[in-house]
């Protein structure tokens, strides 16, 4: 299967530091790797309604939910591009991940089986020098990948608050050059041992 990257942009601001860092990393991908970029602010999802115990699930055929479902299923690699908002993913990204719960129960989608073995990545910019404050965001993505039996490539962290600040983070830009070239291991929950 040809690699196909889906970049899910979760910022409330276009061309923010997180997106700039993600684009720098994406520039390093080989030319034959397909890329799709979807901005969740431009393609908003309605609030997620958890109907798992009291409703029949139907595959969406149009609108932003269908767009994101189809793009997610087509991707070999899903990249969550979310600034660190209150120490975790943005509301846009959280809503997108909530939809995964519904897609798990959508007939004829086989969402979990389809996503198993594929790779989840993250890119974020934060305004702290101490990168440990991003641990909740990293945990959200890592645990989501573990639940889905996906690989987890980790999170590319950059520092920046004002627009364009991340372009001054030489360490983040250097990591961006090789971020997607690494071999992503199968994700595991923290309590799982060898």
């Amino acid at each position: 299967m040809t690699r196909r990257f889906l970049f899910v942009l979760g910022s409330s601001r276009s061309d923010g530091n997180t997106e700039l860092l993600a684009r720098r990393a994406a520039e390093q991908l080989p030319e034959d790797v397909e890329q799709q970029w979807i901005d969740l602010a431009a393609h908003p999802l309605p609030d997620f309604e958890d109907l798992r115990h009291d409703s029949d699930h139907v595959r969406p055929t149009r609108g932003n939910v269908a767009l994101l479902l189809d793009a997610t299923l087509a991707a070999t690699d899903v990249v969550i591009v979310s600034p660190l908002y209150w120490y975790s993913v943005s509301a846009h990204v959280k809503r997108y991940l909530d939809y995964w719960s519904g897609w798990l129960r959508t007939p004829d989608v086989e969402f979990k089986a389809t996503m198993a073995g594929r790779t989840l990545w993250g890119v974020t910019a934060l305004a702290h020098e101490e990168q440990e404050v991003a641990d909740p965001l990293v945990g959200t993505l890592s645990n989501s990948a573990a639940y889905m039996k996906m690989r987890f490539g980790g999170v590319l962290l950059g520092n920046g608050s004002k627009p364009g600040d991340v372009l001054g983070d030489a360490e983040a830009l250097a990591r961006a050059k090789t971020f997607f070239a690494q071999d992503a291991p199968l994700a595991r929950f923290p309590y799982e041992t060898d």
Side-chain angles (χ1 to χ4, degrees):
M1 177 180 221
T2 302
R3 287 185 82 185
R4 180 180 173 86
F5 276 69
L6 170 63
F7 291 85
V8 180
L9 303 176
S11 180
S12 297
R13 171 178 42 199
S14 62
D15 298 321
N17 286 304
T18 303
E19 182 179 345
L20 290 174
L21 185 58
R23 290 196 183 276
R24 287 294 173 100
E27 288 172 359
Q28 309 307 313
L29 290 170
E31 288 185 23
D32 64 335
V33 172
E34 295 178 47
Q35 296 181 32
Q36 183 176 11
W37 295 73
I38 298 180
D39 183 345
L40 294 175
H43 298 89
L45 293 168
D47 286 339
F48 176 71
E49 191 175 356
D50 186 355
L51 302 172
R52 68 184 134 173
H53 298 298
D54 57 1
S55 177
D56 291 329
H57 292 269
V58 178
R59 183 184 178 121
T61 58
R62 62 178 189 257
N64 292 334
V65 176
L67 170 73
L68 281 155
L69 172 58
D70 291 342
T72 303
L73 290 170
T76 59
D77 297 77
V78 177
V79 185
I80 300 297
V81 183
S82 174
L84 187 69
Y85 285 166
W86 285 104
Y87 309 102
S88 191
V89 295
S90 69
H92 292 307
V93 167
K94 179 62 172 74
R95 185 173 293 126
Y96 166 69
L97 293 175
D98 285 346
Y99 269 86
W100 285 24
S101 295
W103 297 340
L104 286 169
R105 292 162 181 82
T106 303
D108 302 321
V109 170
E110 302 293 331
F111 189 69
K112 190 170 184 178
T114 300
M115 299 308 292
R118 298 189 182 185
T119 306
L120 185 65
W121 308 84
V123 178
T124 192
L126 53 150
H128 276 265
E129 293 295 326
E130 300 80 14
Q131 294 186 344
E132 295 82 4
V133 300
D135 286 353
L137 179 147
V138 175
T140 293
L141 298 181
S142 176
N143 289 335
S144 297
Y147 179 78
M148 298 295 291
K149 308 264 188 258
M150 296 175 74
R151 297 183 173 284
F152 183 57
V155 178
L156 174 60
L157 300 170
N159 191 277
S161 181
K162 293 182 300 203
D165 273 358
V166 76
L167 298 178
D169 185 343
E171 289 181 23
L173 295 177
R175 285 191 304 272
K177 289 185 180 296
T178 59
F179 183 61
F180 294 127
Q182 65 181 321
D183 192 22
L186 192 63
R188 301 180 67 157
F189 287 109
Y191 58 80
E192 292 181 310
T193 59
D194 289 331

